[in-house]
Amino acid sequence: MGKRTVRTGIALFALALVILGGILLFANSRSSGDKVLSPEEAEKKILEQYDGNIVHTTLDGQNYVVQLRSDKGLYELTIDRATAAIEAIRQIELFTDVPGKPAETPAPSETANPSQSPPPQKSPNPSVLLEEADAIKIAFEKVSGTLKEVELEQEGGKWYYFVELETKDGREATVQLHAGSGKVQSVTWDDDDDEDDSD
């Protein structure tokens, strides 16, 4: 009976060690999972997705508020410190002046009643900085023709505009633009002969 008591005691001791080890492992994994993003990591994450320069970063509760200056304007991005997710993007200033081109000013009749102009359409996705009209304008700079269709799609975690245009000679081109930066990714031609050429 003495050996049986010793074996039971050893088994209980081993079980207690396993339970204690599990508790310590769980506590350690939770504390390492609670790591928050540093301001530098938040800025790096934003610059991986959007072209531009970081102007300013501030801490606002659980979020960082980062100001990003791009060729298109000045934007304010809110990024969650715990999840590293971009929660919101707000346009602060739109740059309309292009170097070498005079700024356009609306005629007085257009500004008489501001309530007549439609409100700016907000994108349902905060990862999209480029407006559809800007995407169309950039596509026309690449291929001249008439607009057939514009689609906004996500590929590989990034958003792209696909602008379909038809040229005067009947050829169709699809211009793919990065929805954050406006950079042209590709131009795909669809001829009547079903040949697929890329530019």
Side-chain angles (χ1 to χ4, degrees):
M1 184 139 99
K3 288 184 179 182
R4 189 178 211 174
T5 307
V6 170
R7 285 185 189 162
T8 304
I10 291 174
L12 287 174
F13 181 71
L15 181 62
L17 283 177
V18 169
I19 291 172
L20 181 62
I23 291 171
L24 289 174
L25 184 63
F26 178 74
N28 189 27
S29 69
R30 283 203 44 122
S31 66
S32 65
D34 290 342
K35 183 180 178 277
V36 294
L37 216 57
S38 72
E40 293 79 19
E41 292 170 325
E43 291 173 359
K44 182 180 176 188
K45 180 168 179 59
I46 288 171
L47 291 174
E48 286 172 356
Q49 294 184 38
Y50 304 107
D51 292 334
N53 298 317
I54 302 295
V55 176
H56 187 63
T57 302
T58 57
L59 180 61
D60 182 20
Q62 181 58 28
N63 300 318
Y64 287 116
V65 178
V66 181
Q67 286 188 358
L68 174 75
R69 178 182 298 275
S70 75
D71 293 339
K72 303 286 182 200
L74 183 63
Y75 300 90
E76 184 177 85
L77 294 88
T78 304
I79 186 166
D80 188 294
R81 291 176 43 210
T83 64
I86 296 174
E87 299 291 326
I89 296 176
R90 182 174 68 95
Q91 184 177 40
I92 298 173
E93 183 179 349
L94 177 64
F95 299 151
T96 56
D97 294 342
V98 177
K101 182 178 175 184
E104 296 178 15
T105 56
S109 62
E110 294 174 342
T111 58
N113 189 352
S115 64
Q116 290 178 347
S117 63
Q121 185 177 2
K122 298 260 183 189
S123 171
N125 183 330
S127 299
V128 178
L129 296 178
L130 190 66
E131 296 293 327
E132 185 175 295
D134 294 328
I136 294 168
K137 181 179 177 186
I138 294 169
F140 278 137
E141 290 171 2
K142 201 72 173 160
V143 176
S144 60
T146 57
L147 179 66
K148 287 188 72 178
E149 184 178 6
V150 180
E151 293 180 357
L152 179 64
E153 296 180 12
Q154 185 178 26
E155 287 186 1
K158 294 186 180 182
W159 288 90
Y160 298 96
Y161 279 105
F162 293 88
V163 182
E164 292 182 28
L165 303 168
E166 185 172 347
T167 62
K168 289 181 183 179
D169 60 1
R171 295 175 62 198
E172 292 182 7
T174 302
V175 181
Q176 178 183 0
L177 302 115
H178 188 275
S181 67
K183 183 178 178 184
V184 174
Q185 302 296 306
S186 67
V187 177
T188 308
W189 292 91
D190 184 22
D191 294 330
D192 289 11
D193 304 338
D194 290 335
E195 294 177 15
D196 193 23
D197 302 329
S198 282
D199 205 10

